[in-house]
Amino acid sequence: MSTSAAPVSLAVPALFEPRQEDYAAFAALFAQSCRIGATAAGGLHRLAASVDDGRARTMLCDWLRQHAFEVRVDPVGNIFGLMTFDPAAPYVLCGSHLDSQPSAGRFDGSYGVIAAAVAIAALARHAAETGVPPACNFCVVNWTNEEGARFQPSLTGSSVFVGAMPLPQALALRDAAGVTLGAALEEIGFAGAHPVAIPVAAYAEIHVEQGPTLERRRAAIGVVRETWAASKWRVRFDGEQNHTGPTPMAQRRDALLAAAHAIVQVRAEADRHGLEMHSSVGRLDIYPNSPNIVPAQATLLIELRSRDVALLGEAGERLAATLQRIADMTGTQCVVEDRQLREPGKLDAALCDLALDTGLRLRLATENSVTISGHDAINLSRAYPSCLLFVPSRNGVSHNEAEFTSDEDMHRGLRFLTAFLSRLGKETPRHTGNDHGN
Amino acid sequence: MSTSAAPVSLAVPALFEPRQEDYAAFAALFAQSCRIGATAAGGLHRLAASVDDGRARTMLCDWLRQHAFEVRVDPVGNIFGLMTFDPAAPYVLCGSHLDSQPSAGRFDGSYGVIAAAVAIAALARHAAETGVPPACNFCVVNWTNEEGARFQPSLTGSSVFVGAMPLPQALALRDAAGVTLGAALEEIGFAGAHPVAIPVAAYAEIHVEQGPTLERRRAAIGVVRETWAASKWRVRFDGEQNHTGPTPMAQRRDALLAAAHAIVQVRAEADRHGLEMHSSVGRLDIYPNSPNIVPAQATLLIELRSRDVALLGEAGERLAATLQRIADMTGTQCVVEDRQLREPGKLDAALCDLALDTGLRLRLATENSVTISGHDAINLSRAYPSCLLFVPSRNGVSHNEAEFTSDEDMHRGLRFLTAFLSRLGKETPRHTGNDHGN
């Protein structure tokens, strides 16, 4: 890994850092967040646009307003907390998401939103105290339905913001009970009337790593340079509903048996490629899913992830042929209902360099990193200079109630983010802007 | 197949048969039943103790009362329509079930209840007209939750009636939403206060075959001599909830992957035994079943069916070892939560002989038959002389909206059942009774 950071020098002025009261404000707001949708096992269950998501959003908006942010909500429910110093200047956006997976962890997403709010509030206080405003404005963001647990696909709010998904399509997404995202947002009072159109200088997001690397390497901050590509498939097998008793085995067209073969083969495909590919089937819906009925229909959500798009392409061709063979073997029909490639992303090199330099100047163990999971920052990076920053996750466990990041690691992340945003406030507008110039 | 029927002889008196008005009454009541829980594709969706099941039950009770039956409901919701000629005599029970599988057929169960009601009403009318009552009483029965689609296990009402399942256990069964059978029966007004204790001389049930044999052999009536055994397992794999993206493949403990291997192996086990074994996994519950989460838990309902209990035992031992190997391979834990053997059943030989003779005397193509599926008659046969009678199913399709039995076949069945019950009314009490003497 190469670092393009400037050498640490005593001649460099000290970076802006949070005060004790900022850490206290962070701890209080984070604790408040942890209580909304808390599970008995210490985790969080706060699905997008659910009642608990609504409560967490209200908590955030209240806090932002109390700290002099202007709060706006766009039609897909993204929340923007604007801290405007110069109406003519662009905004540095910083945020993440308050929604969670089912019975998941307290840190994923929430950490990044709350750290952003506290860091920007600290910058605003400093500007008021010194009478020296930053050269750009700041904006805290909470993106809608990052997780994609209740509504698929994931990253909905940021996709709409960058124009990758039309708003009507996003609002028409349905959960398993048939409720649309639009209706769910109306229900919790977070369907805004108008898009939030602000000039974006840059986007920064801090997040728990969801992998074991930083912890193993005893690093405090990871600067994500790139993300893996993902190929996401929705595949349906249609069989024939019949009695599990008398129906002759040779006559059965069992959609669940076909799905089982598919799940085994998806894993086998990843195993061909060692560390170069991840795969999963996280969701399988079966109809009628009744003990005495040969299943008539099974729908799988398949993922293949790799850094290498060509490898994903090859694997996808082989998988398509395998699915057809499975259908032939089981007497079912196989329909690939959806197949989408999420391209690999490169985060902004200049922002990554500045982040790495900031970490080193703060004497935090800071390293280049890579992400395999999707993040709103990857969406933003397709339109604006963006960076994604990691703090450690214990044992790399995530999307699990046992997900854990220590207070010390969260504080190091807040200290880093505050200093980094402060530097962006001084340096970004000079060479970046809405024209994606760097 | 051996038949012990008496040779057809012109010297034998004609059997009692339904009149045109009975066929009309059957058609009207069956049509009414088909409308309750009807699906758009011409099927039936009438889960046990649902609102629609309640409506079908009310329809039956109204009809029975209009035709001078005394209606009683026991605490597990079984409906008894008593036609009592001699309070000192035992009862011949005849019935089936009004509940259905999800999006299933109109004939399964309903045919047998309605045919029984119409046949017994015809016998009662004949007794009133001739002034010659049968030597025994009759009783139409609708058994609760035969299908086991909403509440597991199946055959609940008949199991309680014969003492194979304690009433509190039956009432405490829960559906997927957590509703107990007891509460659901209260809700639809079919939780009786007292057991219905009547002396049982015999039980007869007529049902659609749910297999292709009668149709292929152009037979009208099947007399079931025996039923296959079934081994039913509930198996849970416990894995670890994690992110489908960054979690290293080697670290994953994917409960759905384990379940998929198990489903494939359950089928492979059946395939070892050719026509001697049927197998299925009809139901699989996954948690959290979210696209970006490695599944933490998967619970399968596995069935193995065979005529040969020893074969089921061997297959079960091999399957248990296979499940453990799958758990080891996938890093999951495997728990066999439940494993029950449903013993093979022999129907009552004397009743079967009488049924076969009746069919032959009516000049209906009547054959010995075998059933692979569970039926309330099998439960009853463990306590009382019982028989199970089949009419053809087109293409053997069942538990499917396309399930079909022609009006002609249903009429032949009603004609047969009426004559058969009439003979039982003359002959049964002499040599059978509550002492299971034959």
Side-chain angles (χ1 to χ4, degrees):
Chain A
M1 295 190 203
S2 72
T3 71
S4 56
V8 176
S9 152
L10 291 176
V12 177
L15 297 182
F16 177 70
E17 298 201 26
R19 291 188 197 154
Q20 200 50 46
E21 68 191 87
D22 298 318
Y23 293 115
F26 170 82
L29 191 56
F30 188 73
Q32 198 181 343
S33 161
C34 290
R35 286 193 293 271
I36 303 174
T39 66
L44 200 68
H45 187 103
R46 202 159 72 194
L47 302 185
S50 65
V51 170
D52 278 333
D53 186 27
R55 292 174 60 211
R57 288 160 168 267
T58 300
M59 172 202 81
L60 174 67
C61 292
D62 289 348
W63 195 94
L64 291 174
R65 291 197 185 94
Q66 285 159 16
H67 291 78
F69 289 80
E70 176 198 354
V71 175
R72 294 196 209 163
V73 179
D74 75 6
V76 75
N78 295 321
I79 297 172
F80 298 84
L82 281 67
M83 183 60 72
T84 307
F85 301 104
D86 172 3
Y91 288 79
V92 169
L93 269 57
C94 184
S96 192
H97 59 95
L98 291 173
D99 70 319
S100 88
Q101 289 281 344
S103 55
R106 315 191 294 280
F107 304 87
D108 180 347
S110 298
Y111 172 63
V113 175
I114 293 169
V118 172
I120 295 173
L123 296 182
R125 185 193 57 227
H126 182 68
E129 287 174 355
T130 59
V132 183
C136 69
N137 303 306
F138 288 93
C139 177
V140 180
V141 195
N142 170 51
W143 303 111
T144 292
N145 191 40
E146 193 269 354
E147 293 289 3
R150 181 174 175 194
F151 301 97
Q152 289 84 51
S154 58
L155 308 179
T156 312
S158 58
S159 293
V160 171
F161 185 76
V162 300
M165 181 185 285
L167 176 64
Q169 183 184 333
L171 296 181
L173 298 178
R174 285 183 191 277
D175 70 7
V179 178
T180 63
L181 176 57
L185 288 169
E186 289 281 355
E187 183 71 26
I188 60 168
F190 281 91
H194 305 291
V196 174
I198 49 175
V200 178
Y203 177 72
E205 177 167 356
I206 194 163
H207 202 280
V208 292
E209 186 190 16
Q210 307 181 294
T213 308
L214 291 180
E215 183 186 51
R216 284 190 192 147
R217 297 173 56 88
R218 299 178 183 279
I221 304 293
V223 176
V224 178
R225 294 273 171 179
E226 62 175 66
T227 175
W228 281 24
S231 175
K232 301 200 173 198
W233 304 41
R234 189 170 65 239
V235 172
R236 195 183 79 227
F237 287 98
D238 290 320
E240 186 180 45
Q241 186 168 330
N242 225 319
H243 197 301
T244 58
T247 311
M249 296 306 288
Q251 194 178 310
R252 298 188 186 202
R253 298 166 48 211
D254 183 337
L256 178 55
L257 178 63
H261 280 292
I263 292 167
V264 168
Q265 292 305 318
V266 165
R267 174 59 184 246
E269 184 59 44
D271 288 345
R272 284 172 173 260
H273 306 288
L275 298 175
E276 296 307 306
M277 188 174 291
H278 286 184
S279 77
S280 76
V281 176
R283 181 158 176 172
L284 168 61
D285 293 306
I286 305 152
Y287 186 84
N289 210 28
S290 188
N292 290 322
I293 299 190
V294 178
Q297 196 171 86
T299 305
L300 302 89
L301 298 187
I302 298 171
E303 276 181 13
L304 299 173
R305 301 192 196 226
S306 176
R307 175 178 284 170
D308 182 344
V309 174
L311 200 66
L312 281 184
E314 284 168 35
E317 291 324 300
R318 194 160 35 229
L319 180 61
T322 300
L323 294 175
Q324 191 50 56
R325 267 204 312 281
I326 290 170
D328 294 344
M329 179 175 73
T330 55
T332 57
Q333 301 282 321
C334 178
V335 182
V336 177
E337 294 186 330
D338 192 38
R339 181 174 169 179
Q340 299 211 351
L341 179 67
R342 189 171 280 172
E343 296 276 354
K346 292 268 184 210
L347 283 299
D348 186 86
L351 283 180
C352 288
D353 291 347
L354 188 71
L356 204 59
D357 183 62
T358 301
L360 296 174
R361 282 179 59 186
L362 291 171
R363 299 190 182 277
L364 292 169
T366 303
E367 299 194 344
N368 286 315
S369 187
V370 63
T371 179
I372 299 176
S373 47
H375 286 283
D376 292 311
I378 311 302
N379 262 348
L380 271 289
S381 74
R382 305 195 201 284
Y384 309 107
S386 298
C387 63
L388 176 61
L389 310 158
F390 280 163
V391 292
S393 290
R394 190 171 66 188
N395 298 324
V397 170
S398 74
H399 287 186
N400 185 308
E401 290 166 297
E403 179 185 84
F404 185 74
T405 294
S406 70
D407 287 348
E408 294 69 26
D409 280 328
M410 288 201 288
H411 284 188
R412 277 189 277 267
L414 176 61
R415 180 172 165 237
F416 164 81
L417 184 69
T418 308
F420 178 58
L421 291 180
S422 169
R423 290 185 76 182
L424 282 179
K426 295 190 179 81
E427 302 175 28
T428 307
R430 277 180 241 142
H431 57 84
T432 67
N434 226 0
D435 58 354
H436 318 166
N438 67 331
Chain B
M1 295 189 205
S2 71
T3 71
S4 55
V8 176
S9 153
L10 291 176
V12 175
L15 298 182
F16 176 70
E17 297 202 26
R19 291 188 197 154
Q20 201 50 47
E21 68 189 87
D22 299 318
Y23 293 114
F26 170 83
L29 192 55
F30 188 72
Q32 199 180 342
S33 162
C34 291
R35 286 194 293 271
I36 303 175
T39 65
L44 200 68
H45 186 104
R46 200 158 74 194
L47 301 186
S50 65
V51 170
D52 278 333
D53 186 26
R55 291 175 61 213
R57 287 160 168 267
T58 300
M59 172 203 79
L60 174 66
C61 292
D62 289 349
W63 194 95
L64 291 173
R65 290 196 186 95
Q66 285 159 15
H67 291 79
F69 289 80
E70 176 198 355
V71 176
R72 294 196 208 162
V73 179
D74 76 6
V76 75
N78 295 321
I79 297 172
F80 299 85
L82 280 69
M83 183 59 72
T84 307
F85 302 101
D86 173 1
Y91 287 79
V92 169
L93 268 58
C94 185
S96 192
H97 59 94
L98 291 173
D99 69 320
S100 88
Q101 290 281 343
S103 56
R106 315 191 294 280
F107 304 86
D108 180 348
S110 298
Y111 172 63
V113 175
I114 292 168
V118 171
I120 295 173
L123 295 183
R125 185 193 59 228
H126 182 68
E129 288 174 355
T130 59
V132 183
C136 69
N137 303 307
F138 287 93
C139 176
V140 179
V141 196
N142 169 51
W143 303 111
T144 293
N145 191 40
E146 193 268 355
E147 292 290 2
R150 180 173 175 194
F151 302 97
Q152 288 86 49
S154 57
L155 308 179
T156 311
S158 58
S159 294
V160 170
F161 185 75
V162 300
M165 181 185 284
L167 175 64
Q169 183 184 332
L171 297 180
L173 297 179
R174 285 182 191 279
D175 70 6
V179 178
T180 63
L181 176 56
L185 288 168
E186 289 280 356
E187 183 73 25
I188 61 168
F190 281 91
H194 305 292
V196 173
I198 50 175
V200 178
Y203 177 72
E205 177 167 355
I206 194 161
H207 201 279
V208 292
E209 185 189 18
Q210 307 182 296
T213 308
L214 292 180
E215 182 186 52
R216 283 192 193 148
R217 297 171 58 88
R218 300 177 183 276
I221 303 293
V223 176
V224 178
R225 295 272 170 180
E226 63 175 65
T227 175
W228 282 25
S231 174
K232 301 201 172 198
W233 305 41
R234 189 172 65 240
V235 172
R236 194 182 80 229
F237 287 98
D238 290 320
E240 186 180 44
Q241 187 168 330
N242 226 319
H243 198 303
T244 58
T247 310
M249 295 306 288
Q251 193 178 311
R252 298 188 186 202
R253 298 167 47 212
D254 184 336
L256 178 56
L257 178 63
H261 280 291
I263 292 166
V264 168
Q265 291 305 317
V266 165
R267 174 59 185 244
E269 183 59 43
D271 288 345
R272 284 172 173 260
H273 306 289
L275 298 174
E276 296 306 305
M277 188 174 292
H278 285 183
S279 77
S280 77
V281 177
R283 180 158 177 171
L284 168 61
D285 293 305
I286 305 154
Y287 186 85
N289 211 27
S290 188
N292 290 321
I293 299 189
V294 177
Q297 196 170 86
T299 304
L300 302 90
L301 298 187
I302 298 171
E303 276 181 12
L304 299 173
R305 303 190 196 226
S306 176
R307 176 177 281 170
D308 183 342
V309 173
L311 199 66
L312 281 184
E314 282 168 36
E317 291 323 300
R318 193 160 35 229
L319 180 60
T322 300
L323 293 175
Q324 190 50 55
R325 266 205 312 282
I326 289 170
D328 294 345
M329 181 177 72
T330 54
T332 57
Q333 301 282 322
C334 177
V335 182
V336 178
E337 293 186 330
D338 192 38
R339 180 175 169 179
Q340 299 208 354
L341 179 67
R342 188 172 280 173
E343 296 277 355
K346 292 267 184 210
L347 283 298
D348 186 84
L351 284 179
C352 288
D353 291 347
L354 189 70
L356 204 58
D357 183 63
T358 301
L360 297 174
R361 281 180 58 187
L362 291 171
R363 299 191 183 276
L364 292 168
T366 303
E367 299 194 345
N368 286 313
S369 187
V370 63
T371 178
I372 298 176
S373 46
H375 285 284
D376 291 312
I378 311 302
N379 263 347
L380 272 288
S381 74
R382 305 194 200 285
Y384 309 107
S386 299
C387 63
L388 177 62
L389 310 158
F390 279 163
V391 292
S393 290
R394 191 172 65 190
N395 298 325
V397 170
S398 74
H399 287 185
N400 184 309
E401 290 166 298
E403 180 185 84
F404 184 75
T405 294
S406 69
D407 288 347
E408 293 70 26
D409 281 327
M410 288 200 288
H411 285 188
R412 277 189 276 268
L414 176 61
R415 181 172 165 238
F416 165 82
L417 184 69
T418 307
F420 178 58
L421 292 178
S422 169
R423 290 185 76 181
L424 282 179
K426 297 190 178 83
E427 302 175 27
T428 309
R430 277 181 239 140
H431 57 85
T432 66
N434 223 1
D435 58 354
H436 318 168
N438 67 330

